[in-house]
Every structure is written in C-alpha cells, then in structure tokens.
Amino acid sequence: MNVILGQGIAGTLLAIRLIQKGERVVVIDNGHRNSSSAVAAGLWNPIVFRRINKSWMADEFCAELETFYPALEILLGAKFYYPITVCRLHSSLHESELWADKRNWEEFEKFLGETCTDFSVRYPYSEEAPHGASFVKHTGYLDLPVLLEAGRKYFNDKALYLEDSISLMNPSIELDQFEFDGIKPKRIIDCRGYSSAGEKCFSWLPFGLTKGEVLTIKCDQLRLNDVYSAGFFILPLGNNLYRVGATFNWSDKDQIPTEKGREDLLNKLRRWMKIDFEVVDHKAGVRPTVQDRRPLLGRHPNFDNLYIFNGLGTKGVLLAPWLSAHFCDFLMNGSELLSEVNISRFEHLIGTEHPQINYPIG
C-alpha cells in the first residue's frame, strides 16, 4: 500500500499514476488548508521571458502535458484543461530583438509565435506597447480547484481518501507505528508542498518558499481572448471574470492575503487598464520552491519507506504530468531518477537544520 500525504497537484497526479499501474493507494489530506495548488492560477508557459529561453525540459514536459490532462478530464469526468495563447508585452527593445532572432531558431519555433501586429486594436483599453508584443504557443491554464475537487471525489468513490493531518516530526517513531486499516504501508510519499519544509525529517532540504497573491476581478468591458503578460498576468476565466497575479514575497510564510499584495496588483492593473473593474476575490498561497529551482524527488536516505515528491514550485502544472510518470517508474521499476531532481544531490546537508532561505525566482 502507498500512502500519499497531500492532495495538491503533485499528490493527485502521482496517486492516479500509481492506481493506473495497479498499486493500492490511500491519499491523506487536510482538506487543502495548506495547498498552494488550491489558490494558484494554474498557468503553464514553456518560455522564460527574462532571457527568452525555454524552461528546463520544456519539450518533454509540454508533450506529456498535452496528452495527459485531456485524458485525465475523461477519467475524472470534469473540465479543467484550457489551452490558451499568451501575449507577451516586450519589456525592452533588447527583448523584442532577441525574440525576433530566436523565432528563427529550430529549437524555439514550436513555442515562439508571431508578433502582435494589432496591439492597439486588440487591447484598446491598455497602455501602449513601445517595444511590441508577441505570442507564446503551447501555453494555457488548469482550473486547479476543479481538478483537485474532481480528484478528491475520484479517491473518495474508491474509498481511497482520508481527511486528516499527519506529522513526521519524529519519523523514527511515527513511521514505525503508522498503519492504515491495520496495514503498514509499503511507502509513505510526502507531497504536501511547502508544509514538508517544516518537518524534521526533511529539514535538511533547501526549500526557498515564496508567498504569492492573486486577485479575481470582474470587468464587463474587458474582452480578452488570450493571457496578457507584462510583469504580471491577466487570465480570462469566462463570464467577465479574470485572474490577476501574481506577487512574490520571500518574507511571509503564511496564506493570509495582505493589503500590500492587493495594492501591488491593483497598481499594475490600473496602470495597464483604463476601465472600471470590481475585485471579487483575493487569495494567497505559499509556493514550494527550492534553492536550485529543481523539484525534490526520491527516497529518504535514513528511512526506507519514506519518499518525497515535492518542490514543483511555480511551474507545477507544467512539470507534474511528466515527473509523476518518471517518479512512478522509479517507485515501481527501480528506474534511476534524473540527477537534477533526485534529493541525493542534497545529502551532504543531512544533520543540519537547513534554513528556509529566500531564493528569488529567476
């Protein structure tokens, strides 16, 4: 039996992968009270705008994502997968020129789209675009609350879900005593996002947690058909609703929306949009980011039945389908994990209470 701790996007996808492989799974979650997945915008984007580069393993991740999520919609009987183009407002002449150059490179032609030639027509309510704008392909968003709720129903219907909170502060005792329905689990897999950073057994892993806040606004005049990106994003949700985000706060470690976060987003939005809107929601979450910006996968070096699948950070929607399959292959077949994600890369830190250092996202 496999016990999955946490039913965010990491835990949900890994549990489904294991079930599809014939493994018995029990998912334990505290009702998403600490889940960054439940409040995230759910965007995926394979391009790093700062240097106009592809994200790490973008080709592999996008290829898996575009087949996995539609199949998952069928399995769960829910609609949550929305491919949608991103329009990037170039921040400088250099960025615009770099985009135009790299569009001609074979490795970028899949993702870098054409220049937006009708910006003032497409966005008549916005600021000017002195350096132009271009489109990113193979982008979109997941409605994560819908996915997580459909996943929870799927597990509940199979009697594979338990709402509870589990602590691993004293793993040498707790893992030995842990049972479910009188059965000791073959594996306990920690997928609890940033909550794992506070556990003694994983305190040596260099999480760099970042708090993010998002707004949902209603605007009857706004007519966006793509995601707008200009140092912040505006994501159309339908019914004149739009998600606006996101902030990055490397000091706070709670899920409480702040007035500062709200004003930061509103100031960006007001500079961009010269029409009235109404704020209808404001949420915050903590992203499970990591020092080297790579996920944390593997078996604990001191506890044979304790594993972690975590640290997907700001790109969880993009990474989770491929990495859940990769980790499942490791668990069931003993396949070697990618060195970039294997927690063995941090084993030299064991025995230290590694500080949760604030690592800016770059």
Side-chain angles (χ1 to χ4, degrees):
M1 178 178 64
N2 301 271
V3 172
I4 306 288
L5 303 181
Q7 199 239 318
I9 189 169
T12 298
L13 267 57
L14 180 61
I16 287 172
R17 293 283 196 188
L18 288 168
I19 290 168
Q20 290 177 328
K21 294 288 186 181
E23 290 278 301
R24 186 182 178 195
V25 172
V26 174
V27 179
I28 302 178
D29 187 84
N30 65 3
H32 300 315
R33 289 194 297 273
N34 303 107
S35 173
S36 60
S37 296
V39 300
L43 283 167
W44 77 84
N45 168 28
I47 295 298
V48 179
F49 291 132
R50 185 177 298 179
R51 294 173 293 275
I52 315 299
N53 281 330
K54 290 192 295 185
S55 295
W56 170 64
M57 290 183 59
D59 294 279
E60 293 87 345
F61 291 145
C62 278
E64 182 66 21
L65 174 159
E66 290 170 355
T67 59
F68 180 79
Y69 286 132
L72 188 59
E73 284 188 321
I74 297 171
L75 176 69
L76 300 182
K79 176 64 180 172
F80 47 78
Y81 172 71
Y82 297 94
I84 185 172
T85 303
V86 170
C87 182
R88 167 65 177 179
L89 182 70
H90 294 306
S91 61
S92 65
L93 178 61
H94 173 70
E95 180 182 305
S96 177
E97 291 175 340
L98 194 59
W99 188 291
D101 177 42
K102 289 192 173 183
R103 266 202 78 199
N104 299 316
W105 298 16
E106 183 177 354
E107 64 177 298
F108 286 96
E109 64 181 0
K110 177 180 178 180
F111 300 117
L112 298 187
E114 69 278 3
T115 298
C116 177
T117 57
D118 61 344
F119 187 86
S120 61
V121 176
R122 185 181 291 263
Y123 308 111
Y125 31 72
S126 75
E127 64 184 8
E128 296 299 316
H131 307 298
S134 300
F135 296 104
V136 191
K137 300 179 288 185
H138 295 276
T139 54
Y141 79 99
L142 290 188
D143 190 329
L144 284 168
V146 171
L147 167 59
L148 298 183
E149 183 58 34
R152 177 157 47 181
K153 182 179 184 303
Y154 176 80
F155 301 134
N156 258 323
D157 288 348
K158 294 178 176 292
L160 302 176
Y161 180 84
L162 176 65
E163 186 165 322
D164 199 357
S165 296
I166 301 296
S167 171
L168 295 175
M169 296 304 291
N170 296 297
S172 58
I173 298 174
E174 291 156 348
L175 292 176
D176 182 61
Q177 296 178 342
F178 190 90
E179 291 186 357
F180 187 84
D181 283 348
I183 301 173
K184 286 190 175 295
K186 178 169 58 175
R187 306 181 187 98
I188 298 174
I189 307 170
D190 196 334
C191 305
R192 291 175 296 165
Y194 88 96
S195 297
S196 303
E199 297 282 27
K200 183 175 181 180
C201 56
F202 290 119
S203 62
W204 49 279
L205 292 174
F207 283 92
L209 308 179
T210 55
K211 180 176 178 176
E213 300 185 49
V214 295
L215 301 177
T216 302
I217 65 167
K218 184 174 184 180
C219 182
D220 295 338
Q221 295 174 264
L222 194 55
R223 294 289 185 269
L224 278 186
N225 296 313
D226 43 48
V227 179
Y228 180 89
S229 171
F232 72 107
F233 66 79
I234 305 175
L235 166 66
L237 302 174
N239 298 318
N240 297 322
L241 295 174
Y242 300 86
R243 187 71 40 78
V244 180
T247 64
F248 288 85
N249 184 322
W250 295 278
S251 300
D252 290 351
K253 298 294 188 293
D254 59 49
Q255 294 182 299
I256 302 172
T258 66
E259 189 62 28
K260 182 181 185 304
R262 177 188 174 97
E263 285 304 311
D264 284 349
L265 292 173
L266 287 178
N267 286 337
K268 291 177 180 179
L269 192 57
R270 287 168 181 147
R271 285 196 298 269
W272 181 82
M273 196 167 71
K274 309 305 181 186
I275 52 180
D276 293 334
F277 59 87
E278 173 191 2
V279 177
V280 298
D281 198 14
H282 178 196
K283 292 182 178 178
V286 181
R287 308 172 182 94
T289 49
V290 184
Q291 174 187 357
D292 61 1
R293 302 179 180 87
R294 295 291 181 265
L296 300 169
L297 280 64
R299 183 171 66 183
H300 196 288
N302 298 329
F303 304 102
D304 289 344
N305 64 335
L306 180 59
Y307 297 76
I308 190 167
F309 181 60
N310 208 324
L312 275 60
T314 61
K315 293 184 177 291
V317 168
L318 178 66
L319 275 57
W322 193 94
L323 286 178
S324 60
H326 179 60
F327 195 55
C328 189
D329 197 29
F330 162 75
L331 294 174
M332 297 189 63
N333 304 318
S335 300
E336 188 173 349
L337 288 173
L338 290 175
S339 59
E340 295 99 320
V341 304
N342 197 327
I343 59 172
S344 63
R345 70 193 190 274
F346 295 123
E347 283 189 8
H348 63 283
L349 298 175
I350 294 175
T352 66
E353 290 293 322
H354 196 82
Q356 295 169 27
I357 300 174
N358 301 317
Y359 297 99
I361 303 298

